[in-house]
Amino acid sequence: MPPRAPAAPTERELTDLEFGILSALVASHTGIALGSDKRALLQARLGRRLRALGLSTFMEYYRILKDQGADGPELVRFVNAVTTNKTEFFREAHHFDHLREHVAPALEAAAAEGAERVVRVWSAGCSSGEEPYSIAITLADALPSAEGWDVRILASDIDTDVLERARVGTYTLEEVAAVPRTALHRYFLRGVGDNDGLARVRPELRRRVAFRRINLLDDAWPIRTAFDVVFCRNVLIYFDRPTQTRVLERLLRFVKDDGLLVLGHAEGVHALVSGLRHAGNTMYRKESDPCRPPS
Ligand SMILES: C[S@@+](CC[C@H](N)C(=O)[O-])C[C@H]1O[C@@H](n2cnc3c(N)ncnc32)[C@H](O)[C@@H]1O
């Protein structure tokens, strides 16, 4: 009988030790807590980096990360590889209904009393842009610039790959399927020729959204604005409890008094922080608070 051919090399397994040190590195840089049930996920995502770099063990990869340090290019790729970026246009539609039916009329009423027609919104953990563009579309319809409204949105994420996609603002027709037809017409350009099957957010709307890399785990955020509304949806669920509390307390400092905090469907704040009153499904109003954003 001829000798058996050697088995094809299989994907390198993440050992217990490697999982321990790499998941600790993920937690210390992003706040993302990876339980042991996420081992296969981490192996698959970092396995791609190993192949790209021609490495054969996760320990070699860890050494590269350590040698390059916190500002190294591989750490950025490492972080990009471990984030989960699932998002969609008008996800959790009730939040956009609330913007249109409650937030915008309240701002109009305040403007009628002499308040400035200025609105500032932050989408923290914006992924590839579907969330901030859904906010921009909703507010452009409800508070038109033709009526003097100045609406700007800060959209931030830790992941540079999704931020790049978001800045370009090009999506497949399948991805924009949840955008109402009239808004699609008004706020998107339909691709032709090589771009057939794509839709790009119109420059007028893109200009209202500023995309920046901000790590919510960092001690200082480079923000000097107080926001009328802060969206931080489906981000905190990846953090452990103490990190959720710390990030929430800091987020709240950037919400104006009586401003709105919007969280994701699996996220609630009542047990975590005080100074909020319930304003609808996973939406909270900030009660008057002496905390102010740093000036
Ligand atoms: C599941 S997506 C949610 C996107 C959007 N908010 C939504 O609900 O559709 C979570 C996003 O949070 C980002 N993220 C995770 N950790 C972060 C951190 N420490 N700082 C900033 N963004 C982070 C991820 O990169 C990812 O794009």
Side-chain angles (χ1 to χ4, degrees):
M1 210 199 236
R4 272 174 108 172
T10 52
E11 179 71 67
R12 177 97 205 171
E13 290 240 335
L14 194 59
T15 65
D16 286 349
L17 177 67
E18 289 166 339
F19 178 70
I21 55 179
L22 286 165
S23 57
L25 199 63
V26 172
S28 69
H29 282 281
T30 68
I32 298 170
L34 295 171
S36 50
D37 58 322
K38 294 289 186 302
R39 188 185 177 125
L41 182 88
L42 192 65
Q43 179 177 312
R45 290 180 174 184
L46 295 184
R48 280 180 228 133
R49 293 307 310 146
L50 256 67
R51 285 193 292 281
L53 295 167
L55 303 175
S56 49
T57 71
F58 287 96
M59 197 53 91
E60 285 172 59
Y61 183 58
Y62 175 69
R63 284 197 202 100
I64 289 180
L65 292 169
K66 288 312 269 180
D67 289 348
Q68 287 190 359
D71 299 325
E74 191 52 39
L75 196 82
V76 174
R77 292 189 198 105
F78 169 73
V79 167
N80 289 357
V82 299
T83 54
T84 297
N85 309 113
K86 182 186 159 30
T87 186
E88 52 196 44
F89 281 98
F90 293 96
R91 181 183 194 185
E92 299 178 55
H94 57 279
H95 291 155
F96 303 95
D97 296 341
H98 189 86
L99 276 189
R100 188 175 46 253
E101 290 162 17
H102 298 278
V103 175
L107 289 163
E108 274 175 332
E113 297 290 314
E116 281 187 308
R117 296 184 160 231
V118 172
V119 187
R120 296 291 179 260
V121 183
W122 181 13
S123 162
C126 65
S127 190
S128 38
E130 287 87 334
E131 178 178 284
Y133 288 131
S134 301
I135 299 167
I137 289 169
T138 305
L139 294 180
D141 281 341
L143 303 170
S145 54
E147 291 175 16
W149 286 98
D150 167 16
V151 178
R152 306 251 181 91
I153 296 150
L154 167 66
S156 68
D157 203 283
I158 194 174
D159 182 333
T160 56
D161 289 338
V162 287
L163 283 173
E164 197 40 48
R165 269 206 74 199
R167 275 190 197 105
V168 173
T170 297
Y171 302 93
T172 63
L173 294 183
E174 208 181 341
E175 286 165 335
V176 296
V179 178
R181 195 172 258 277
T182 45
L184 203 54
H185 253 78
R186 197 172 293 156
Y187 300 113
F188 287 81
L189 297 163
R190 185 91 182 242
V192 290
D194 285 350
N195 293 322
D196 190 29
L198 298 176
R200 186 167 191 203
V201 180
R202 284 183 185 267
E204 311 85 270
L205 200 78
R206 282 207 310 272
R207 277 198 288 274
R208 293 186 195 178
V209 187
F211 289 100
R212 288 165 74 180
R213 185 181 195 230
I214 296 176
N215 182 351
L216 293 173
L217 212 65
D218 283 350
D219 288 333
W221 299 334
I223 303 173
R224 289 176 167 269
T225 309
F227 296 94
D228 299 280
V229 184
V230 171
F231 276 65
C232 186
R233 306 188 309 164
N234 309 302
V235 181
L236 298 175
I237 36 164
Y238 297 100
F239 301 164
D240 63 18
R241 271 285 176 126
T243 310
Q244 290 179 347
T245 307
R246 191 152 47 91
V247 171
L248 261 178
E249 283 173 350
R250 301 229 342 269
L251 275 175
L252 275 179
R253 289 195 228 149
F254 292 86
V255 181
K256 287 182 185 170
D257 285 350
D258 213 36
L260 191 72
L261 174 69
V262 184
L263 301 179
H265 61 281
E267 300 158 324
V269 295
H270 277 314
L272 297 174
V273 292
S274 55
L276 291 171
R277 61 177 194 279
H278 196 247
N281 193 353
T282 56
M283 290 177 283
Y284 305 87
R285 284 255 165 220
K286 179 178 169 179
E287 288 172 341
S288 295
D289 189 310
C291 294
R292 301 258 177 252
S295 54

